[in-house]
Amino acid sequence: MNMLPKLPNPDEKPKEESPPKTTGFFFPNSDLDEVARHFIGNTHRFRENIIIPKTYGVVQIKTNEEKMVEAAFESCAFKSVMSCVLGYGLGAAIGLFTSSVNPNIADPLAAEKQQTAREIFREMRAATHSYGKNFAVIGAVFAGVECIIESKRGVSDWKNGTYAGAVTGGLIGLRAGVKAGIVGAAGFAAFSTVIDYYMRHR
């Protein structure tokens, strides 16, 4: 068996070595590339494992249905309808209390005779419905106008209530004339400003 080492052939051309293959995205041919990939993360696809820092308790990501429900609740139409319903309830309570304390006798001749319970309940129902309807209109107009003004201005402050009160008072007072509309706008704006200031600074 021939155990002699193979001698190089002088006629054979040496093979050219290919350049080293560059690896790495941030730092080619360096160990720092693995560290950079660890801290920067994947750069080839959308990150689905987003980490949100916790500030106050557990962070819950809202679904599209929850966002739609919140948008419906925060819409001007919903606020106006809710204010109309609550205004009717408040007005009905005030009307019921007023009619029970000071009953309204429409017929002067009826004052001489004793009223029946049916007549008293009929008057109380009429007064309750009248107060409730007026408060419902005021609440719906005020809430709708305030929501529109707040959406247009993009600011939530006391001026929204003042402007909405002026518009609401002016529209209600215009039924009795221009002078009554101006007085109603000024009075309702002042009342809204005082209430808003009390609610914000109490």
Side-chain angles (χ1 to χ4, degrees), residues 1-191:
M1 180 178 287
N2 189 8
M3 299 298 292
L4 296 176
K6 186 178 180 182
L7 299 175
N9 188 3
D11 296 332
E12 186 179 358
K13 294 182 180 180
K15 295 181 180 180
E16 296 181 358
E17 295 182 358
S18 59
K21 192 175 182 180
T22 58
T23 59
F25 185 80
F26 300 100
F27 302 98
N29 298 328
S30 176
D31 294 337
L32 294 176
D33 187 73
E34 295 296 330
V35 179
R37 285 178 180 273
H38 175 74
F39 286 105
I40 296 177
N42 195 349
T43 59
H44 301 286
R45 67 181 180 85
F46 177 74
R47 292 288 305 277
E48 296 179 354
N49 54 341
I50 301 175
I51 300 175
I52 301 176
K54 295 189 298 183
T55 54
Y56 300 101
V58 180
V59 177
Q60 296 181 353
I61 300 177
K62 298 178 181 178
T63 61
N64 293 331
E65 290 77 11
E66 292 176 347
K67 293 179 181 179
M68 291 175 60
V69 171
E70 287 187 358
F73 285 163
E74 293 176 359
S75 62
C76 295
F78 181 80
K79 291 181 179 180
S80 182
V81 171
M82 284 300 299
S83 298
C84 180
V85 174
L86 295 177
Y88 186 86
L90 178 62
I94 295 176
L96 181 62
F97 176 76
T98 304
S99 61
S100 62
V101 172
N102 186 18
N104 184 20
I105 300 176
D107 189 6
L109 299 178
E112 299 177 358
K113 63 178 182 178
Q114 187 176 4
Q115 284 184 304
T116 61
R118 189 173 186 179
E119 294 175 350
I120 294 175
F121 282 126
R122 187 184 297 115
E123 292 178 1
M124 292 175 64
R125 184 181 64 181
T128 300
H129 179 67
S130 177
Y131 274 85
K133 184 174 63 175
N134 293 334
F135 274 77
V137 171
I138 293 173
V141 173
F142 181 83
V145 172
E146 184 183 21
C147 181
I148 293 174
I149 292 175
E150 183 176 351
S151 301
K152 294 298 182 181
R153 294 183 66 233
V155 180
S156 178
D157 55 5
W158 60 271
K159 294 181 181 179
N160 297 329
T162 303
Y163 296 153
V167 173
T168 305
L171 291 176
I172 295 174
L174 278 177
R175 295 182 298 179
V178 178
K179 185 177 180 181
I182 296 174
V183 173
F188 215 105
F191 178 76

